[in-house]
Amino acid sequence: MDGQQGGGLMAMDVAAQWAGGVLTINLGAIAANYRLLTQIVRQADGESHAAVCAAAIKADAYGLGASLVAPVLERAGCRDFFVAHLAEGLAIRPAIRDDASSVFVLHGPPPGTARDFHEAGLTPVLNSMEQIAEWRALAKALGHPLAAVLQVDSGMARFGMTAMEVEKLTADPSLLDGISTVLVMSHLACADTPEVASNHSQLAEFRRLSALLPAAKRSLAASSGIFLGPDWHFDLVRPGAALYGVNPTPGRPSPVRSVVRLQARVIQTRTVPKGQAVGYGGYFIAPRESRIALLGIGYGDGFLRSVSNRGTAILPRRSDRPLPVIGRVSMDSLAIDVTDLGDDTVSAGDLIDLIGPHNPLDEVASAAGTIGYELLTDLGGRYHRIYTSE
């Protein structure tokens, strides 16, 4: 029996080692990015007035594994964590060890779940009059105040109370009876384009609306908003993507360290004649006799189909020679042209970088016609994952 179990575990380990792709996640880089963003805020605000740096770990820490990422951030000094859904909050609360740390749920309590929030030690972000009423009713039933965040819509027209709703709360303070407001927040629509005028109009509207609500700490900036300057920092900033290596300052060199490296395994190589169609739909026609390598990941692994005929790959030992992705990305595979490597051939089992030191996440996302956020969160579960602390 024991031998069979051991053999089964060994077989599983071998299968993982030979997965079609390897995703290496540098937890040390995540911690370093958190410390860097904290330092940037302190330098901008002044040590005595610096905003607290929180962390968005929603969407499973942008696909990288929240249960592993959250403790690393906590050890780096983070005490305030943001998730999107109640289920995310319930899943991550046990991984956050310091009882003084807070988990805020951005979407607030779905109808009938206020008690679940309270019992799990989660703090809701209240976005509507209905959510406020449900949280107020629980506080009354329990006989003591309950902490909450109030979100206002400063101009993005997404989550948060409208100006009319905020004014209603101002006119009737009893609507907030039993609610201890620990934070008032909003979200910027165009923080990654600092020249856009709406950043200033949202700042002014947030100041106006937050002044109408009970005195509390305030938060407006997420990753890119940090780089708009101290006027946008208030009391707490909420970086997410920047922690995970996405450039928060598009068009300028990234201030943060890269976190992920995605490598695809060569399954097969072959030579095709000039004029040969490659892949679904004949989307690529070989302009010459070509050597191609077939790699073992595709859109089923979250490597987007839009990279077809647009992206590049890198053989680590030949980083000077980008290798074009040719033909359509399939569910489980993609093809690259390795002809220009000449005598430096690739073989089955070799690992090719699709995201890495010479193929940055944001550049790969741009080739796919998207942003680093989407590419990062799309990376699937079939990869063999390696966590490092370099």
Side-chain angles (χ1 to χ4, degrees), residues 52-98:
V52 169
C53 193
I57 55 171
K58 59 185 181 175
D60 197 26
Y62 288 56
L64 302 184
S67 63
L68 294 172
V69 168
V72 167
L73 289 168
E74 201 170 30
R75 288 194 294 273
C78 185
R79 291 297 178 267
D80 299 286
F81 299 88
F82 285 81
V83 297
H85 300 291
L86 170 58
E88 291 182 329
L90 293 172
I92 200 59
R93 181 74 256 193
I96 296 173
R97 297 167 187 170
D98 189 336

Side-chain angles (χ1 to χ4, degrees), residues 161-227:
M161 289 171 287
T162 65
M164 186 177 297
E165 289 172 324
V166 172
E167 289 161 6
K168 184 177 180 180
L169 293 174
T170 304
D172 186 0
S174 69
L175 293 173
L176 291 173
D177 282 352
I179 295 176
S180 175
T181 304
V182 296
L183 185 72
V184 176
M185 65 173 284
S186 190
H187 195 66
L188 293 164
C190 302
D192 57 351
T193 48
E195 68 278 6
V196 173
S198 67
N199 289 317
H200 291 273
S201 62
Q202 279 197 258
L203 174 62
E205 181 68 350
F206 179 63
R207 283 175 169 158
R208 184 182 79 85
L209 293 177
S210 61
L212 298 176
L213 292 168
K217 292 181 179 181
R218 294 181 290 176
S219 177
L220 181 60
S223 288
S224 294
I226 290 172
F227 295 86

Side-chain angles (χ1 to χ4, degrees), residues 94-131:
I96 296 173
R97 297 167 187 170
D98 189 336
D99 291 339
S101 294
S102 299
V103 178
F104 301 104
V105 181
L106 291 163
H107 289 179
T113 63
R115 193 170 290 272
D116 296 306
F117 268 76
H118 175 63
E119 291 176 353
L122 304 174
T123 304
V125 176
L126 303 177
N127 299 285
S128 66
M129 301 301 285
E130 293 80 8
Q131 290 182 346

Side-chain angles (χ1 to χ4, degrees), residues 131-151:
Q131 290 182 346
I132 287 174
E134 181 155 350
W135 201 240
R136 183 179 68 244
L138 179 62
K140 182 178 180 180
L142 294 174
H144 60 79
L146 295 176
V149 177
L150 299 180
Q151 179 154 213

